[in-house]
Amino acid sequence: MFYFSVPLGKLVRRVSRLRGGGSALPGLVVEKIDPGFMRRTLSTLPHGVAVVSGTNGKTTTTKMVVELLESQGLKVFTNRTGSNFTRGVAAALLGEVDWRGRLNADVAVLELDEAHAVHFVNQVPPRYCLLLNVLRDQLDRFGEIDKTAQLLQHIASKTTGTVVLNREDPRVARIADTVSGPEVLYFGLDDSLLSTFPNDDEMRAAPGSPVPSAPAKPHADVVLRRVGAADADFEYDGVTATTAMKLRGVYNIFNAAAALTLARAIAVRDGALADNEGLLTALSEVAPAFGRGESLVVDGLPLDLVLVKNPSGFRLGLKSFPAAGYATMIAINDNYADGRDMSWLWDVEFDTLREGGVDQLSGSRAYDMALRLQYDDVAIGAVDTEIAPALASFISGARDKPKRVFCTYTAMLAIRRELSKITTVEVVS
């Protein structure tokens, strides 16, 4: 059947792009006029839909899963812009379907915000879901952390095939107790790496407080055993394999274990056994998702963008990308997509920035960031709430040094726009 919502949505998409509008607007339009669009289109995929959700790491993990599955010869649809609301998925679909609404893909791998994932799975039950973690993030939107866990539990309850869980996050691991029907798989960490990835309760515990004994861990399909400077060890099927990694940041490497678990599940369920060697080769070639450790070139030197949006992410970013030898900028916004409550900045320790200081602060909450750094005795070069002039000043003032910018989501988008005027920046559409 021909649906007029598709050509209309495509027209809105084209006009929106010409006017420089947001990528999700066409999806919002088609959701209003044709609520069944996503379900009707995605139900035709032979390998179904995989949903990736959780507090941290959705975009990079989704990118990894897509590239791993493509290495196996599958045609994969994904919401590549990182617009992880349902309207973002609908907008991405409009860019891929033909004028009759037909999608040329084998499987969909979708990054979804925890709350919007609940609405999505009510419309389109996924065959697979991958649930990464539950950490304190945007509490002004989600409320208490257990509410976020309930959102992820709902995603699992709607999944028809395989649920993949983080063994090391107790709130995520406990979701298995509520799952009946779908297969449950886990990804996990070697004990030597556990201190690098504290769960939310451990991060907020008072120093010296007793650590409750952990229950016996379930077997994990993939375990990250070691993280090196440019490689990592993963254990699966009783063997440990070493692979080179272009991804940087220990959190990205842990997410690689999650991506491997989901990709192996899809490959096994849909035919032959997983081509583990091919998956590892593909994993070694995955580059960071935009803004998530992305490295650009400015004045012949690297400029790294590191997304930060909660205490865990900022702590791991500081640990994964040492400040020594780099000029540093921090840009903090408090728009809706960033979360309005920035009190979480006080849960991050910034002592690693003390030696070199921070050259530039920017964003709508730049002065909040300045106050926080003062309490950790971190020297500050300049503060400018306007991102464009702040970035220009940062670049001109550190022409002879590599640069790194820690930024919230909307600040990262603004910085990428400014950088696209002076260097090559991947266009994400």
Side-chain angles (χ1 to χ4, degrees):
M1 181 181 296
F2 184 81
Y3 291 86
F4 287 101
S5 58
V6 174
L8 178 59
K10 282 182 170 287
L11 178 62
V12 172
R13 186 173 186 268
R14 182 172 298 177
V15 172
S16 177
R17 283 168 171 265
L18 290 173
R19 294 173 59 88
S23 62
L25 175 61
L28 182 61
V29 171
V30 80
E31 276 189 323
K32 294 291 186 183
I33 64 176
D34 185 2
F37 169 67
M38 283 192 298
R39 183 184 183 99
R40 186 174 65 247
T41 305
L42 294 173
S43 65
T44 65
L45 301 180
H47 299 330
V49 174
V51 166
V52 178
S53 195
T55 311
N56 276 10
K58 295 183 290 291
T59 300
T60 299
T61 305
T62 301
K63 185 175 190 288
M64 284 189 274
V65 174
V66 169
E67 295 188 27
L68 293 180
L69 293 178
E70 287 177 340
S71 77
Q72 305 299 296
L74 292 174
K75 289 179 288 186
V76 185
F77 165 75
T78 189
N79 49 333
R80 189 167 175 268
T81 63
S83 180
N84 55 25
F85 293 1
T86 53
R87 60 181 177 265
V89 175
L93 275 172
L94 285 171
E96 296 294 329
V97 297
D98 64 18
W99 288 92
R100 292 184 173 273
R102 295 173 298 197
L103 179 64
N104 181 23
D106 298 309
V107 62
V109 180
L110 304 174
E111 169 197 350
L112 285 167
D113 164 272
E114 299 93 305
H116 283 263
V118 168
H119 300 296
F120 177 86
V121 300
N122 287 338
Q123 300 176 52
V124 186
R127 190 177 302 181
Y128 311 92
C129 73
L130 168 56
L131 307 179
L132 294 167
N133 41 55
V134 177
L135 296 160
R136 292 178 194 273
D137 177 53
Q138 299 192 21
L139 294 184
D140 50 308
R141 288 179 57 203
F142 295 146
E144 281 303 312
I145 189 170
D146 289 328
K147 173 62 176 177
T148 305
Q150 291 170 9
L151 297 174
L152 297 185
Q153 180 180 322
H154 184 80
I155 299 168
S157 73
K158 292 292 185 177
T159 301
T160 62
T162 300
V163 174
V164 179
L165 302 175
N166 179 352
R167 182 181 73 178
E168 315 305 343
D169 188 314
R171 286 182 175 83
V172 173
R174 283 197 295 267
I175 290 173
D177 298 334
T178 69
V179 173
S180 59
E183 172 188 32
V184 176
L185 298 175
Y186 297 89
F187 63 98
L189 288 169
D190 188 89
D191 287 349
S192 64
L193 296 172
L194 289 175
S195 62
T196 303
F197 296 91
N199 62 54
D200 195 82
D201 293 333
E202 291 168 342
M203 280 200 305
R204 298 177 68 84
S209 59
V211 178
S213 58
K217 291 182 181 181
H219 168 78
D221 186 73
V222 177
V223 177
L224 175 61
R225 291 296 184 194
R226 182 188 63 87
V227 177
D231 64 0
D233 291 347
F234 297 94
E235 181 185 328
Y236 52 85
D237 298 339
V239 301
T240 299
T242 300
T243 182
M245 299 293 294
K246 286 185 178 178
L247 290 168
R248 295 174 300 156
V250 289
Y251 53 91
N252 282 334
I253 310 302
F254 186 30
N255 290 337
L260 273 173
T261 305
L262 179 57
R264 279 163 48 86
I266 293 173
V268 170
R269 178 174 287 275
D270 293 319
L273 294 176
D275 172 18
N276 291 309
E277 185 175 342
L279 290 173
L280 286 176
T281 299
L283 186 62
S284 71
E285 293 299 318
V286 178
F290 71 100
R292 280 79 171 175
E294 178 183 25
S295 188
L296 308 173
V297 177
V298 175
D299 294 332
L301 293 169
L303 185 151
D304 298 338
L305 294 177
V306 182
L307 177 68
V308 296
K309 64 191 190 78
N310 54 39
S312 174
F314 214 147
R315 287 184 181 193
L316 286 171
L318 292 168
K319 184 170 186 175
S320 299
F321 301 96
Y326 277 75
T328 301
M329 174 175 170
I330 300 177
I332 305 294
N333 276 350
D334 64 349
N335 297 317
Y336 177 77
D338 306 298
R340 296 292 174 83
D341 182 358
M342 287 292 141
S343 62
W344 61 263
L345 291 171
W346 293 88
D347 293 330
V348 184
E349 297 172 352
F350 293 96
D351 53 291
T352 57
L353 299 176
R354 194 172 294 152
E355 182 176 348
V358 174
D359 300 78
Q360 181 74 54
L361 295 177
S362 189
S364 57
R365 300 297 285 270
Y367 285 99
D368 296 76
M369 189 71 247
L371 178 63
R372 176 67 192 92
L373 292 176
Q374 286 181 355
Y375 271 80
D376 273 2
D377 297 320
V378 177
I380 301 164
V383 181
D384 187 339
T385 57
E386 296 298 321
I387 286 178
L391 180 64
S393 177
F394 174 61
I395 290 173
S396 64
R399 290 190 181 277
D400 59 340
K401 296 178 69 174
K403 303 164 188 66
R404 184 167 293 128
V405 183
F406 296 95
C407 44
T408 57
Y409 182 71
T410 64
M412 179 264 291
L413 296 179
I415 288 167
R416 290 182 95 254
R417 284 194 297 269
E418 292 303 312
L419 290 173
S420 69
K421 301 173 184 177
I422 59 174
T423 190
T424 302
V425 176
E426 178 190 10
V427 176
V428 180
S429 61

